[in-house]
Amino acid sequence: AVTRDYVLRLDTAKNGSREARAPLLSVFGGKITTYRKLAEAALTELRPFFPQMKDAWTRHAVLPGGDLPPGGMATWQADLARRYPEMPASLLSALAHRHGTRVTALLGDARRPGDLGEDFGLGLTEREIDYLRNEEWAIGSEDILWRRTKCGLSMDARQRERVAAFVGA
């Protein structure tokens, strides 16, 4: 059975010396759906070493791009379709799901799909890769395909290789 449980192991051993080493917190397990709870638990473990640490605040914080209008994703996608009438609905949907309200920063002045540069598949374009590298500090094709966009899950090997060649890693 797949579990969302995680284990935190804090190591503060002195390693034979008088001075304590910097704390090392290892995290085992966890799932993307429990990341906030896990992160707050991790910081609670580290709190004794950082007395100026503020109280937890992320429980209700909106993530970047998550400030959707009333009506949620459907309303946001309809708004994007009005703003970018020459962009395919499937592309706008993919970008909206990957970037939320930050998709307008990614699209900028683009009006047509060709304005976004090469399409590597699944709507992952040069413009999005540049955005991920410049705004989200994505490093390499693995980061872009598997962590930032999850496009690697549905792309074939040739598409993933084209992304790697474009990114240079």
Side-chain angles (χ1 to χ4, degrees):
V2 176
T3 178
R4 287 181 170 78
D5 290 342
Y6 52 86
V7 174
L8 302 176
R9 184 174 303 154
L10 183 62
D11 180 9
T12 59
K14 293 185 178 182
N15 200 22
S17 71
R18 291 183 184 187
E19 296 182 30
R21 297 183 311 179
L24 172 66
L25 181 65
S26 299
V27 179
F28 303 95
K31 298 287 180 202
I32 190 75
T33 55
T34 60
Y35 71 94
R36 285 191 197 211
K37 183 179 174 188
L38 189 155
E40 288 189 358
L43 289 174
T44 297
E45 289 288 320
L46 295 171
R47 181 177 297 283
F49 303 94
F50 301 97
Q52 272 84 7
M53 186 183 293
K54 295 182 177 165
D55 290 336
W57 59 270
T58 64
R59 176 177 233 157
H60 300 291
V62 177
L63 293 173
D67 53 339
L68 296 171
M73 185 59 75
T75 299
W76 178 235
Q77 287 179 320
D79 185 40
L80 288 172
R82 282 189 296 280
R83 291 184 193 199
Y84 301 93
E86 296 181 53
M87 293 286 185
S90 60
L91 173 61
L92 292 175
S93 175
L95 292 174
H97 279 92
R98 291 198 288 261
H99 301 284
T101 57
R102 291 202 163 182
V103 72
T104 55
L106 185 157
L107 291 171
D109 62 353
R111 293 291 163 232
R112 293 173 280 306
D115 297 336
L116 302 175
E118 182 177 353
D119 184 339
F120 297 95
L122 303 175
L124 179 65
T125 63
E126 288 183 50
R127 172 91 55 109
E128 185 174 8
I129 289 172
D130 290 343
Y131 174 85
L132 291 167
R133 293 171 94 183
N134 295 327
E135 300 298 322
E136 296 188 11
W137 310 298
I139 301 171
S141 62
E142 294 287 314
D143 195 10
I144 291 164
L145 291 173
W146 301 104
R147 289 181 286 281
R148 307 296 173 139
T149 68
K150 304 294 188 261
C151 287
L153 293 170
S154 299
M155 285 181 159
D156 61 36
R158 185 184 61 76
Q159 290 169 315
R160 292 190 300 269
E161 288 166 8
R162 284 180 39 230
V163 172
F166 176 76
V167 172

